[in-house]
Amino acid sequence: MTSAPLSPQRLDRFARHIVLPEIGGAGQVALTQKHVVIVGLGGIGSPALQYLAAAGIGHFTLIDDDVVDTSNLQRQTIFTSRDVGYGKATSARRWLANFDETLQVEISDTRIGSDNAGALIGSADLVLDGTDNFATRLAVSDACVSTTVPLLSAAVGRFQGQVGAFAGHLPGQPCYRCFVGDAFDAEDCDTCAEDGMLGAMAGWAGTFGAMQGVRALLQGVSAFGDPQFGKLHILDGMKPGMRTLTIAKDSACKGCGAITADPSQ
């Protein structure tokens, strides 16, 4: 498919990207053709959406079954007091429409799980998961493996965050289940209501996730395209600092363990 050139207005909007040799015009055009699914529009999903939209991603699917609460406004930056009581997915779509009316946007306010995750994310180029429980994260991870969609998984709590890129559908690459294992359900994950969270920490994790998303989407297109699959970046807001771990593929993983070699060889 031939890439359509950017209009003068779009060239002006993304000029600061285009002049970066690591992204350039080819990278910017590629971003406009990408489809990103964001699962969870909370403390991570909100800033991630803002910077992915600002980067020029052309197509979004937004998934969240929750409504905006006053307590969300401390860290969920796309919402205002006028959104309290309304669905997060609907409010996020409204924010996108005000920010850039050219974007293609679908929403789902149905809770995502193992029964519908594949249908919701299967057409995407990338999934960014910022949800707050392991049951949902594992359902999303398994669906990403089965539909061969790369996954960025981000989490945050108190003064710490983590962002990891997973491609368990590829030979030798781990999935999120390789990282956390199987022994989790919806009750296993502490919530920010119980433990607290620095609002800016959610912003750091979300915007770092957006940057890693741009990296993954530009693989094979520009010099910035490095998906860093199997790398987990741990963010420490108290120091502050960051360290990076490599996640190994688990050959016994229920999500991706069967994918161990290139079937063409």
Side-chain angles (χ1 to χ4, degrees), residues 19-231:
V19 299
L20 291 170
E22 295 83 0
I23 296 179
Q28 192 59 55
V29 170
L31 292 176
T32 69
Q33 299 172 338
K34 298 299 185 181
H35 177 195
V36 173
V37 174
I38 298 182
V39 186
L41 297 163
I44 291 171
S46 290
L49 175 60
Q50 288 178 300
Y51 276 91
L52 289 170
I57 306 303
H59 183 185
F60 289 96
T61 298
L62 311 178
I63 303 172
D64 200 309
D65 67 334
D66 200 5
V67 298
V68 180
D69 184 81
T70 301
S71 65
N72 300 151
L73 303 181
Q74 167 250 11
R75 65 200 176 280
Q76 299 180 18
T77 49
I78 56 175
F79 305 127
T80 72
S81 57
R82 293 184 178 183
D83 296 311
V84 172
Y86 291 92
K88 289 185 178 180
T90 299
S91 299
R93 179 172 58 184
R94 184 184 307 118
W95 182 90
L96 277 176
N98 289 328
F99 180 73
D100 188 345
E101 70 279 2
T102 70
L103 302 181
Q104 181 180 347
V105 185
E106 288 92 38
I107 66 170
S108 172
D109 57 6
T110 300
R111 188 169 186 83
I112 190 170
S114 58
D115 58 335
N116 63 355
L120 288 170
I121 70 178
S123 64
D125 296 295
L126 179 73
V127 172
L128 190 151
D129 184 352
T131 54
D132 62 359
N133 67 83
F134 286 111
T136 302
R137 287 176 176 273
L138 289 171
V140 171
S141 174
D142 291 346
C144 284
V145 173
S146 65
T147 58
T148 69
V149 178
L151 170 66
L152 269 176
S153 184
V156 67
R158 294 177 60 83
F159 298 93
Q160 295 181 335
Q162 62 185 37
V163 177
F166 300 94
H169 60 283
L170 298 178
Q173 290 292 346
C175 70
Y176 178 78
R177 189 181 286 273
C178 291
F179 169 44
V180 301
D182 303 322
F184 295 108
D185 60 29
E187 307 305 319
D188 287 321
C189 191
D190 293 331
T191 68
C192 61
E194 297 167 348
D195 291 345
M197 182 192 302
L198 181 69
M201 192 68 225
W204 185 13
T207 54
F208 189 81
M211 185 177 74
Q212 296 301 93
V214 172
R215 285 186 191 274
L217 293 168
L218 290 180
Q219 183 181 21
V221 178
S222 74
F224 194 63
D226 176 9
Q228 300 186 357
F229 293 140
K231 300 294 184 182

Side-chain angles (χ1 to χ4, degrees), residues 167-175 178 247-251 253 256-260:
H169 60 283
L170 298 178
Q173 290 292 346
C175 70
C178 291
I247 307 300
K249 189 179 188 74
D250 180 1
S251 61
C253 175
C256 72
I259 306 170
T260 56

